[in-house]
Amino acid sequence: MTSQGPVKVGIIGSRFEADIHAASIQMVPDAAEVVAVASPTPGHPEALAEKYGIPRVFHDYHEMLREPDIEMITITAPNYLHCQMTCDIANAGKHVVCEKPLSVTIEEADQMIDTCERQGVLLMYAEELFFTPKYVKAKEMADEGALGKLYMVKQMEKHFGPHSQWFWDVDRSGGGAFMDLGCHGIAFCYWFLNRPKIKSVYAQMGTYVHTDKTKGEDDSICIIEFENNARGLIENSWARRGGMEDRIEVYGEGGVTYADLHMGNALPTYSEYGYGYAVEKAPTTKGWTYPVFEELWNYGFPQEMRHFARCTRGKEEPAATGEDGRVVQEVLYAGYESARRGAKVELPFCPIGVKRPIDLWLLG
Amino acid sequence: MTSQGPVKVGIIGSRFEADIHAASIQMVPDAAEVVAVASPTPGHPEALAEKYGIPRVFHDYHEMLREPDIEMITITAPNYLHCQMTCDIANAGKHVVCEKPLSVTIEEADQMIDTCERQGVLLMYAEELFFTPKYVKAKEMADEGALGKLYMVKQMEKHFGPHSQWFWDVDRSGGGAFMDLGCHGIAFCYWFLNRPKIKSVYAQMGTYVHTDKTKGEDDSICIIEFENNARGLIENSWARRGGMEDRIEVYGEGGVTYADLHMGNALPTYSEYGYGYAVEKAPTTKGWTYPVFEELWNYGFPQEMRHFARCTRGKEEPAATGEDGRVVQEVLYAGYESARRGAKVELPFCPIGVKRPIDLWLLG
Amino acid sequence: MTSQGPVKVGIIGSRFEADIHAASIQMVPDAAEVVAVASPTPGHPEALAEKYGIPRVFHDYHEMLREPDIEMITITAPNYLHCQMTCDIANAGKHVVCEKPLSVTIEEADQMIDTCERQGVLLMYAEELFFTPKYVKAKEMADEGALGKLYMVKQMEKHFGPHSQWFWDVDRSGGGAFMDLGCHGIAFCYWFLNRPKIKSVYAQMGTYVHTDKTKGEDDSICIIEFENNARGLIENSWARRGGMEDRIEVYGEGGVTYADLHMGNALPTYSEYGYGYAVEKAPTTKGWTYPVFEELWNYGFPQEMRHFARCTRGKEEPAATGEDGRVVQEVLYAGYESARRGAKVELPFCPIGVKRPIDLWLLG
Amino acid sequence: MTSQGPVKVGIIGSRFEADIHAASIQMVPDAAEVVAVASPTPGHPEALAEKYGIPRVFHDYHEMLREPDIEMITITAPNYLHCQMTCDIANAGKHVVCEKPLSVTIEEADQMIDTCERQGVLLMYAEELFFTPKYVKAKEMADEGALGKLYMVKQMEKHFGPHSQWFWDVDRSGGGAFMDLGCHGIAFCYWFLNRPKIKSVYAQMGTYVHTDKTKGEDDSICIIEFENNARGLIENSWARRGGMEDRIEVYGEGGVTYADLHMGNALPTYSEYGYGYAVEKAPTTKGWTYPVFEELWNYGFPQEMRHFARCTRGKEEPAATGEDGRVVQEVLYAGYESARRGAKVELPFCPIGVKRPIDLWLLG
């Protein structure tokens, strides 16, 4: 591998999330450049390559792994493929950026962490909320003591359903809205509170609106109790109309702060005629809308990619690791188990042989 | 009793809540007038009487009950006195307006309902959120189908601690923030969803900030599952800085609405010099503040008092009854029990002999 | 006239504004009741009478003036009729409530004031912004010194065009958006600053969008310089999409406050299906909307009507008088003259024989 | 000059604005790097150099101009020095980035443009609002037709007074709040409307609060009429309490959009204890505040610097030029003249021999 110039990156996948990775990396040209994309569906990786000027295209990611100059590979494939891909990448001696959630099972998470460690490559967990600039500002204030001792951190992510069809299929996703979106909230609260030990998890969930589309839950509430006497409250939904919602509330004995990535950053706009693009998952651009600006930057994707590229070069320590993803995975397990039991589940909670987290709720 | 002119009202109590009753009734002179106030502490009822021009003052409420022209009595005394007072009023043949929560125990609630029914007087439950005009608008829209089938109703009430000292003493209050403020949220969700049967209650709570002041919980989260496949999510706090917060969020399969009684109604204001009054529990009037206007009206107190007066005359049916208060009481019991168990509690849940709801959590 | 019980009111007119008067008076039953309505169009007054239970209907307002028990008459007819009606009412010995603007010409305003004074009746000017509770709160804070010495007061009222067709016809209205809506802003700034002498007026206006409908201006900006070294900045539009906008901003050397009657009081709502009513002039109830609650109360109409009724009984002094309306009229003249000249116009400015204020701009 | 790697930049000045340039360029390392700073005050350039790792320090900017590898020089010195510095830089064969306003007089602006043109270097006008991402989004929507034909663009910038003392001295600044802040609004409206010809300018201004500090105006309102039947409305203040305000409102026949860089992007926060930094010119970090995140990026400074660096290399065409700055200068002249006359001033308006724009108002 070279260690000069931008880090050379390969992307596995070619759809929604792969596009975000390519666009984000293009925004930090000093740190990284996408040199390859791999996706099995004919035409898909070619389209992404053309859009972003990516020189190399593969239909089999194993071939991409043989490219000697590629230093970092990002995984945007469905959840059930994360583990195998990560291990293959690590075994090829390249650093891994894996989209959230880290895996389907805890065993997979352990295997991913072990393999990367053994191979001496980084396993970086693509939790962009750790880089979302508005949320980072909240954390900076909290860390400076603005809010005193924190006793509750809330995070909500809601919309009317995922962008890719495979999410509805719990065999490929491993769970519904809680797994898809709750993984953000779990990681967020854990990070915001500076990674205290987790004592217990309670979750309440159901399939309230999309019973025709999925066996997975489409709305969930999760309460996490931490050792430092603080809690996380996480709300997620695939049933919320009106576009995306991503918000936090932080309560401390000395203060409170609120951050809203959508209505709170937007340009309230009324349009008779509509316009090009408002925001991810916006239902329309006519009437009153809440368009956002520089969406990727406000989510933190380019900042995240720059950071991962710098980690790849040893200039920074990963702020989001496989270990973080593994904690999330355990909370997901505990949450589904809790939803079935109707009781909070104490951690550690690592049942053996669970095929998909949602099984603890559906089949338990 | 007369049946012409404004309903003649007597108030038991003379502090914060009594002041609200007196001020609110003064705003609906067509419907009611306060003719008497009773409170044992010398000077207190006199002060209220002078402020609002109330002609008769008593230090023993039993004496007030002997006044033949008084038709409706409102109770603003501490929770543990509600039952005895209600029964005394009913036995005096007068209609009762009882502040929230209805009682300390379920047995008391039953006794209050029975006594009023037997005496043929109304037991009206002073849940002002049923009259809060902004929340009423949300309910109208929901009832018109604007949001489709509802699957979640949220209500939050938070501030930095109660106005009267007796609230901190669980012997007199029966519980902390969940009892003091959660009774609003429980009633609200139940009412908003048109009183579906309640299946289960989960609550998480703790004493996070005010351990020096109270044994009661100062922050709580409560999830109620209803029979019609909807839930309530209720958050309460005595630990939230920055003044009052009273908000709702309503989610349906066809839409969503938000209402905020404070920051969402206020005049964002910066003042170097300060001013007279911003809002209940505001910490200051200097710097940036969120003053509200016509606070009582925006909470719905005058509308509530007009309604109760009209009920007293048989012109309207009570929109908030002892039965509503009894439902709230049962959910409070279940919530405290749940917080101890760490598991949701199925309803009906009526344990015998509980002295204070909070005992189910503290002593359980 | 009686002097017991609610003031007996007759309304001239039967459309949009008459409906507001009837509804508002119904909300203050202790103070006033509508006992008669007069409007020449067959069916119209009858419809209003039925909707609000008004017992007496007239097609000729002169007949209504002969009813001995009516004490106060409100005028909701087109502007060009205000003067004649006011004089007729005064000559019948009844108190007058005249909708804004007070008149078309200054001569009319003078005649109205003189006639009412001579007849010993009140000429009350229906500027509801003096009673808008959110704006009243802003004024209370300012009067308490919260903002220090004020140097600028802004008021904006904008929507996409008037509710009644006669507004588009400058022969009947006397002017466009500046006359229709600017009269509010002029009165507001004058009142908010406690009626300082007006030094000069500058206005800029044009017909930007509705050239097919009107010769009147559909968007205007007006700057008023007051003697106490403060200014008013008033923006008005019949060309603003997305529903009503009514906002103020107040700047003082010691602070600033903002109040928004629509987006700032509303329940942000997304609805797939729509609902009954959002707010005056809202284009739709589907998608994102900003429904308001208790619209009349939040504009201050019932409070205004209660006040005028109490003035009629001598219990209060009119807070909005013919003199206020006359000041507004002079500023309207000066504004139109200024728009033509492209220069500010010093007050007093009372050109003789102007038929319609807008003529100073159109024909000047 | 080299044409590989980041553009080498020298900064003239070492205070508030110089710091912004250095910080912003550090955020776009792929495009530019600061290699030198020049400022006459001993210690000042050294401090900036240390903070940002700038290798070369000069006390005489002429020496910096002799460095052969520096390609682009940014000017952050007081307004009255802009012209001489620009000419010196151009004569040294380097590209110029000049802070706003471009100059004090129109003659200077002309000279700057001419000199740069003759020397074949770029004169880039540092109007960051052309790069402010939220405002850029508004313009994109407008250009896509979302709002139909625009008839009014508003921009407001207000705070409680400038960061550097020389602004208060009209001899060095050339004017007050209108010159300091209005130059942004003038440029903004002109750019947003796609540079239509300007027909007339009206301005109203005064020294309302800071009469002890300055002869310059501390609050101004400006109306610009454009040839395409649209207007700009620009409000500026050095007398607005509560921190920075930078907002736009855009009105078209088909819609409206609002963007607020401060309260509209912030994290509403209550803090008992305070924290490090909220936002430029925030009076405190205790109580309720509106901290922003990534302030420079949200203003558009790094984007602007990247753009200018790319222009220096011929990869992009300057989006903000000396010609833009010259238009602003003419409107500033016309505005001050108008404020004196009390009448709008038609363009072109280029009086000869005006020493400072404000003289047209003060001395006129």
Side-chain angles (χ1 to χ4, degrees):
Chain A
M1 290 188 196
T2 70
S3 58
Q4 302 280 54
V7 168
K8 290 191 162 57
V9 180
I11 295 173
I12 301 180
S14 57
R15 308 307 294 270
F16 183 81
E17 197 65 34
D19 195 291
I20 289 175
H21 286 208
S24 299
I25 291 172
Q26 207 172 55
M27 293 169 72
V28 290
D30 59 303
E33 65 178 318
V34 181
V35 299
V37 54
S39 174
T41 319
H44 285 190
E46 287 82 358
L48 195 79
E50 186 172 349
K51 183 170 175 189
Y52 291 101
I54 303 170
R56 297 172 241 173
V57 169
F58 301 89
H59 290 110
D60 179 344
Y61 75 84
H62 300 87
E63 290 177 36
M64 183 167 74
L65 300 185
R66 288 187 208 113
E67 299 289 297
D69 61 331
I70 296 180
E71 303 162 77
M72 178 176 119
I73 302 279
T74 76
I75 303 172
T76 69
N79 302 340
Y80 73 100
L81 298 170
H82 288 184
C83 180
Q84 185 61 50
M85 287 172 171
T86 293
C87 295
D88 290 344
I89 297 165
N91 289 330
K94 298 177 190 310
H95 299 293
V96 182
V97 173
C98 184
E99 265 303 321
K100 57 90 217 172
L102 186 65
S103 58
V104 176
T105 70
I106 295 182
E107 288 92 332
E108 288 174 348
D110 285 334
Q111 186 184 347
M112 292 161 78
I113 292 170
D114 290 349
T115 305
C116 288
E117 199 174 342
R118 214 168 43 238
Q119 296 294 343
V121 299
L122 298 172
L123 174 52
M124 295 174 284
Y125 180 54
E127 178 47 69
E128 83 274 4
L129 295 189
F130 293 8
F131 304 91
T132 302
K134 198 168 197 171
Y135 293 171
V136 168
K137 175 68 183 178
K139 186 166 193 306
E140 284 171 6
M141 291 190 292
D143 286 346
E144 285 167 11
L147 314 180
K149 166 85 174 69
L150 303 183
Y151 61 83
M152 181 149 74
V153 177
K154 290 171 61 177
Q155 200 268 346
M156 284 144 273
E157 184 170 339
K158 305 186 178 190
H159 52 63
F160 203 64
H163 33 82
S164 299
Q165 286 303 309
W166 63 263
F167 279 92
W168 298 108
D169 176 2
V170 296
D171 285 329
R172 285 189 284 171
S173 61
F178 179 53
M179 180 130 175
D180 178 29
L181 305 175
C183 59
H184 286 303
I186 296 163
F188 179 81
C189 294
Y190 180 63
W191 167 75
F192 202 96
L193 292 163
N194 294 316
R195 297 185 171 82
K197 206 164 167 184
I198 294 170
K199 284 169 36 186
S200 74
V201 177
Y202 181 82
Q204 192 282 347
M205 60 186 63
T207 315
Y208 294 97
V209 171
H210 297 297
T211 44
D212 58 330
K213 284 211 193 74
T214 186
K215 287 186 289 180
E217 74 287 355
D218 58 15
D219 198 271
S220 64
I221 302 165
C222 178
I223 301 168
I224 303 178
E225 291 177 315
F226 293 94
E227 282 225 325
N228 62 354
N229 215 16
R231 301 102 91 213
L233 175 55
I234 301 159
E235 294 176 44
N236 297 107
S237 192
W238 283 349
R240 193 262 192 188
R241 293 279 193 176
M244 281 287 291
E245 178 169 54
D246 198 324
R247 290 191 285 143
I248 62 168
E249 303 177 8
V250 184
Y251 297 82
E253 131 308 300
V256 60
T257 191
Y258 301 85
D260 183 332
L261 298 191
H262 296 92
M263 287 170 91
N265 261 18
L267 302 90
T269 298
Y270 183 88
S271 173
E272 278 296 297
Y273 310 122
Y275 53 96
Y277 179 81
V279 60
E280 185 189 342
K281 299 187 180 66
T284 176
T285 61
K286 293 190 184 177
W288 280 104
T289 55
Y290 291 98
V292 297
F293 58 97
E294 294 288 358
E295 193 172 18
L296 292 180
W297 194 89
N298 271 307
Y299 280 131
F301 287 112
Q303 299 92 320
E304 178 188 56
M305 288 298 160
R306 168 179 277 151
H307 168 71
F308 287 154
R310 290 176 60 83
C311 291
T312 287
R313 288 286 167 76
K315 292 172 185 164
E316 298 181 19
E317 284 296 303
T321 65
E323 280 75 14
D324 290 329
R326 205 259 182 215
V327 167
V328 170
Q329 220 58 28
E330 187 175 349
V331 174
L332 289 172
Y333 270 49
Y336 283 111
E337 172 75 10
S338 159
R340 183 181 54 78
R341 283 193 209 167
K344 66 184 176 188
V345 169
E346 310 284 330
L347 260 54
F349 177 73
C350 299
I352 307 296
V354 174
K355 279 187 61 181
R356 305 168 308 180
I358 199 175
D359 290 347
L360 293 164
W361 178 54
L362 285 180
L363 314 177
Chain B
M1 291 188 195
T2 70
S3 58
Q4 301 281 54
V7 168
K8 289 191 162 58
V9 179
I11 295 174
I12 300 180
S14 58
R15 310 305 295 270
F16 183 80
E17 197 66 34
D19 195 292
I20 288 175
H21 285 209
S24 299
I25 290 172
Q26 207 172 54
M27 293 169 72
V28 291
D30 59 304
E33 64 179 318
V34 181
V35 298
V37 55
S39 173
T41 320
H44 285 189
E46 287 81 1
L48 195 79
E50 187 173 347
K51 182 170 176 189
Y52 291 102
I54 303 171
R56 296 171 241 173
V57 170
F58 300 89
H59 290 111
D60 179 344
Y61 75 83
H62 299 89
E63 290 177 37
M64 184 168 72
L65 299 186
R66 288 188 207 108
E67 299 288 297
D69 61 330
I70 296 180
E71 303 163 75
M72 177 175 119
I73 303 279
T74 76
I75 303 173
T76 70
N79 302 338
Y80 73 100
L81 297 170
H82 288 185
C83 179
Q84 186 61 52
M85 287 172 171
T86 293
C87 294
D88 289 343
I89 297 165
N91 289 330
K94 298 177 190 311
H95 299 291
V96 183
V97 172
C98 185
E99 264 304 320
K100 57 90 214 168
L102 186 65
S103 58
V104 177
T105 68
I106 295 182
E107 288 92 334
E108 288 174 348
D110 286 334
Q111 186 184 345
M112 293 161 77
I113 291 169
D114 289 349
T115 305
C116 288
E117 199 175 343
R118 214 169 43 238
Q119 296 295 344
V121 299
L122 297 172
L123 174 51
M124 295 174 284
Y125 179 54
E127 177 47 68
E128 83 274 4
L129 296 190
F130 294 6
F131 303 91
T132 302
K134 198 168 197 171
Y135 293 172
V136 168
K137 175 68 183 180
K139 186 165 194 305
E140 285 170 6
M141 290 190 293
D143 287 345
E144 286 167 9
L147 314 179
K149 167 84 174 68
L150 304 182
Y151 63 83
M152 181 149 74
V153 177
K154 289 171 62 178
Q155 201 267 347
M156 284 145 274
E157 184 171 339
K158 304 186 179 190
H159 52 64
F160 201 64
H163 34 82
S164 299
Q165 287 302 309
W166 62 263
F167 280 94
W168 298 108
D169 176 2
V170 296
D171 285 328
R172 284 188 283 171
S173 61
F178 179 51
M179 180 127 173
D180 178 30
L181 306 175
C183 60
H184 286 303
I186 296 163
F188 179 80
C189 295
Y190 180 63
W191 167 75
F192 202 97
L193 292 165
N194 294 315
R195 298 183 171 82
K197 206 164 169 186
I198 294 170
K199 286 170 33 186
S200 75
V201 176
Y202 182 81
Q204 193 282 347
M205 61 186 62
T207 315
Y208 295 98
V209 171
H210 297 296
T211 45
D212 57 332
K213 285 214 193 72
T214 186
K215 288 186 290 179
E217 74 287 355
D218 58 14
D219 198 272
S220 64
I221 303 165
C222 178
I223 302 168
I224 304 178
E225 292 177 314
F226 292 93
E227 282 227 323
N228 64 352
N229 216 17
R231 301 104 91 212
L233 175 56
I234 301 160
E235 294 176 44
N236 298 109
S237 192
W238 282 349
R240 192 262 193 189
R241 293 278 193 178
M244 282 285 292
E245 179 170 52
D246 198 322
R247 291 191 284 143
I248 63 168
E249 302 177 8
V250 184
Y251 297 82
E253 132 308 300
V256 61
T257 191
Y258 301 85
D260 183 333
L261 298 191
H262 296 93
M263 288 169 89
N265 262 19
L267 303 90
T269 298
Y270 183 87
S271 173
E272 278 296 296
Y273 310 122
Y275 54 97
Y277 179 83
V279 61
E280 184 190 342
K281 300 185 179 66
T284 176
T285 62
K286 292 189 183 178
W288 280 104
T289 54
Y290 293 98
V292 297
F293 58 97
E294 295 287 358
E295 194 173 16
L296 293 180
W297 195 89
N298 271 306
Y299 280 131
F301 286 112
Q303 300 91 321
E304 178 189 55
M305 288 299 159
R306 169 180 276 151
H307 167 72
F308 287 154
R310 291 175 59 83
C311 291
T312 287
R313 287 287 166 75
K315 293 174 184 163
E316 297 181 19
E317 284 295 304
T321 65
E323 280 74 15
D324 290 329
R326 204 257 183 219
V327 167
V328 169
Q329 221 56 28
E330 187 175 350
V331 174
L332 289 172
Y333 270 49
Y336 283 109
E337 172 75 10
S338 158
R340 183 179 55 79
R341 282 192 210 168
K344 67 183 176 188
V345 169
E346 310 283 331
L347 259 53
F349 177 73
C350 299
I352 306 295
V354 174
K355 278 187 60 181
R356 305 168 308 180
I358 198 174
D359 289 346
L360 293 164
W361 177 54
L362 286 180
L363 313 177
Chain C
M1 290 188 195
T2 70
S3 59
Q4 302 279 53
V7 168
K8 289 191 161 56
V9 179
I11 295 173
I12 301 180
S14 58
R15 309 305 294 270
F16 183 81
E17 197 66 34
D19 195 291
I20 289 175
H21 285 207
S24 298
I25 291 172
Q26 205 171 55
M27 292 168 72
V28 290
D30 59 304
E33 64 178 319
V34 182
V35 299
V37 54
S39 174
T41 320
H44 285 189
E46 287 82 358
L48 194 79
E50 185 171 350
K51 182 170 176 190
Y52 290 101
I54 303 170
R56 296 172 241 173
V57 169
F58 300 90
H59 291 110
D60 179 345
Y61 75 83
H62 299 87
E63 290 178 37
M64 183 167 73
L65 299 185
R66 288 186 209 112
E67 300 288 298
D69 61 332
I70 296 180
E71 304 163 75
M72 177 176 120
I73 302 278
T74 76
I75 303 173
T76 70
N79 302 339
Y80 73 98
L81 297 171
H82 288 186
C83 180
Q84 186 60 52
M85 287 172 171
T86 293
C87 295
D88 289 344
I89 297 165
N91 288 330
K94 297 177 190 309
H95 299 293
V96 183
V97 172
C98 184
E99 265 303 321
K100 55 90 216 171
L102 185 65
S103 57
V104 176
T105 69
I106 295 182
E107 288 92 332
E108 288 175 347
D110 285 335
Q111 187 185 344
M112 292 161 78
I113 291 170
D114 290 349
T115 305
C116 288
E117 200 175 340
R118 214 168 43 239
Q119 296 294 342
V121 299
L122 298 171
L123 174 51
M124 295 173 283
Y125 180 53
E127 178 47 69
E128 84 274 4
L129 295 190
F130 294 7
F131 303 91
T132 302
K134 198 168 197 171
Y135 293 171
V136 168
K137 175 68 183 177
K139 185 165 194 306
E140 285 171 4
M141 291 190 293
D143 286 346
E144 285 167 9
L147 314 180
K149 165 86 173 70
L150 303 184
Y151 61 83
M152 181 149 74
V153 177
K154 290 171 61 178
Q155 200 267 347
M156 284 144 273
E157 184 171 339
K158 305 187 178 190
H159 51 64
F160 202 64
H163 33 80
S164 298
Q165 286 303 310
W166 62 264
F167 280 92
W168 298 108
D169 175 3
V170 295
D171 285 328
R172 284 189 283 171
S173 61
F178 179 52
M179 179 127 174
D180 178 29
L181 306 175
C183 59
H184 286 303
I186 296 163
F188 179 81
C189 295
Y190 180 63
W191 167 75
F192 202 95
L193 291 164
N194 294 315
R195 298 183 170 83
K197 205 164 168 186
I198 294 170
K199 284 169 35 184
S200 75
V201 177
Y202 181 81
Q204 192 282 348
M205 59 186 63
T207 315
Y208 295 97
V209 171
H210 297 296
T211 44
D212 57 331
K213 284 211 193 74
T214 187
K215 287 186 289 179
E217 74 286 355
D218 58 15
D219 198 90
S220 64
I221 302 166
C222 178
I223 301 168
I224 303 178
E225 291 177 314
F226 293 93
E227 282 227 324
N228 63 353
N229 215 17
R231 301 102 91 213
L233 175 56
I234 301 159
E235 295 177 43
N236 297 108
S237 192
W238 282 349
R240 192 261 193 188
R241 293 280 194 176
M244 281 286 292
E245 179 169 53
D246 198 323
R247 289 191 286 143
I248 63 168
E249 302 177 8
V250 184
Y251 297 82
E253 135 302 305
V256 61
T257 191
Y258 301 85
D260 182 332
L261 297 192
H262 295 93
M263 287 170 91
N265 262 18
L267 303 90
T269 298
Y270 183 88
S271 174
E272 278 296 297
Y273 310 122
Y275 53 97
Y277 179 81
V279 60
E280 184 190 342
K281 300 186 179 66
T284 175
T285 61
K286 293 190 183 177
W288 280 104
T289 55
Y290 292 98
V292 296
F293 58 97
E294 295 287 357
E295 193 172 18
L296 292 180
W297 194 89
N298 271 307
Y299 280 130
F301 287 112
Q303 299 93 319
E304 178 189 54
M305 288 299 160
R306 168 180 278 152
H307 168 70
F308 286 154
R310 290 176 58 83
C311 292
T312 287
R313 287 287 167 77
K315 293 174 185 163
E316 299 181 16
E317 285 295 302
T321 64
E323 280 74 14
D324 290 329
R326 205 260 183 216
V327 167
V328 170
Q329 220 57 28
E330 187 175 350
V331 175
L332 288 172
Y333 270 49
Y336 283 110
E337 172 75 9
S338 159
R340 184 181 54 77
R341 284 194 208 166
K344 66 183 175 188
V345 170
E346 310 284 330
L347 260 53
F349 177 73
C350 298
I352 307 295
V354 174
K355 278 187 59 181
R356 305 166 309 179
I358 199 174
D359 290 346
L360 293 164
W361 178 54
L362 284 180
L363 314 177
Chain D
M1 291 187 195
T2 69
S3 59
Q4 302 280 52
V7 168
K8 289 190 162 56
V9 179
I11 295 174
I12 300 180
S14 58
R15 308 305 294 271
F16 183 81
E17 197 67 34
D19 195 291
I20 289 175
H21 285 208
S24 299
I25 290 171
Q26 207 173 53
M27 292 168 72
V28 291
D30 58 304
E33 63 179 320
V34 182
V35 298
V37 55
S39 174
T41 319
H44 285 190
E46 287 81 359
L48 195 80
E50 187 172 347
K51 182 170 176 190
Y52 291 102
I54 303 171
R56 296 171 241 173
V57 169
F58 300 90
H59 290 111
D60 179 344
Y61 75 82
H62 299 88
E63 290 177 36
M64 184 168 73
L65 299 186
R66 288 187 208 111
E67 299 288 298
D69 62 331
I70 296 181
E71 304 163 75
M72 176 174 120
I73 302 278
T74 76
I75 303 172
T76 70
N79 302 338
Y80 73 99
L81 298 170
H82 287 186
C83 180
Q84 186 61 53
M85 287 172 171
T86 293
C87 295
D88 290 344
I89 297 165
N91 289 330
K94 297 178 190 311
H95 299 291
V96 182
V97 172
C98 185
E99 264 304 321
K100 56 91 216 168
L102 185 65
S103 57
V104 177
T105 68
I106 295 182
E107 289 93 332
E108 288 174 348
D110 286 334
Q111 186 184 346
M112 292 160 77
I113 292 170
D114 290 349
T115 306
C116 288
E117 198 175 344
R118 213 167 45 239
Q119 295 295 342
V121 299
L122 298 173
L123 174 51
M124 294 173 285
Y125 180 54
E127 177 47 69
E128 83 274 3
L129 295 190
F130 294 8
F131 303 91
T132 302
K134 198 168 196 171
Y135 292 172
V136 168
K137 175 67 184 180
K139 186 166 194 306
E140 285 170 5
M141 290 191 292
D143 286 345
E144 286 166 10
L147 313 180
K149 167 84 174 69
L150 303 184
Y151 63 82
M152 180 148 74
V153 177
K154 290 171 60 178
Q155 200 268 346
M156 284 144 274
E157 184 170 340
K158 305 187 178 189
H159 51 64
F160 201 65
H163 33 81
S164 299
Q165 286 303 310
W166 62 263
F167 280 93
W168 297 108
D169 175 2
V170 296
D171 285 328
R172 285 189 283 171
S173 60
F178 179 52
M179 179 125 173
D180 178 29
L181 306 175
C183 59
H184 286 304
I186 296 164
F188 180 81
C189 294
Y190 180 63
W191 167 74
F192 202 97
L193 292 164
N194 294 316
R195 297 184 172 81
K197 206 165 169 184
I198 294 170
K199 285 170 34 184
S200 75
V201 176
Y202 181 81
Q204 194 282 348
M205 60 186 64
T207 316
Y208 295 97
V209 172
H210 297 296
T211 45
D212 58 331
K213 285 213 192 74
T214 187
K215 289 186 288 181
E217 75 286 357
D218 59 13
D219 199 90
S220 65
I221 303 165
C222 178
I223 302 168
I224 303 178
E225 292 177 314
F226 292 94
E227 282 226 324
N228 63 353
N229 215 16
R231 301 104 89 212
L233 175 56
I234 301 159
E235 294 176 45
N236 298 109
S237 192
W238 282 349
R240 192 262 193 191
R241 293 278 193 176
M244 282 286 291
E245 179 170 54
D246 198 323
R247 290 191 285 142
I248 63 168
E249 302 177 8
V250 184
Y251 297 82
E253 136 299 308
V256 61
T257 191
Y258 302 85
D260 183 331
L261 297 192
H262 296 93
M263 287 169 92
N265 262 19
L267 303 91
T269 299
Y270 183 88
S271 174
E272 278 295 296
Y273 310 122
Y275 53 97
Y277 179 82
V279 61
E280 185 189 341
K281 299 185 180 67
T284 176
T285 61
K286 292 190 184 176
W288 280 105
T289 54
Y290 293 98
V292 297
F293 58 96
E294 294 287 358
E295 194 172 17
L296 293 180
W297 194 89
N298 271 307
Y299 280 131
F301 287 112
Q303 300 91 321
E304 178 189 54
M305 288 298 160
R306 169 179 276 152
H307 167 71
F308 287 155
R310 290 175 59 82
C311 291
T312 287
R313 287 287 168 75
K315 292 174 185 163
E316 298 182 17
E317 284 295 305
T321 65
E323 280 74 14
D324 290 328
R326 205 259 183 217
V327 167
V328 170
Q329 221 57 28
E330 188 175 349
V331 174
L332 289 172
Y333 269 49
Y336 282 110
E337 172 75 10
S338 158
R340 183 180 55 78
R341 283 192 208 168
K344 66 183 176 188
V345 169
E346 311 283 330
L347 261 53
F349 177 74
C350 298
I352 306 295
V354 174
K355 278 186 61 181
R356 305 168 310 179
I358 198 174
D359 289 346
L360 293 164
W361 178 54
L362 285 180
L363 314 177

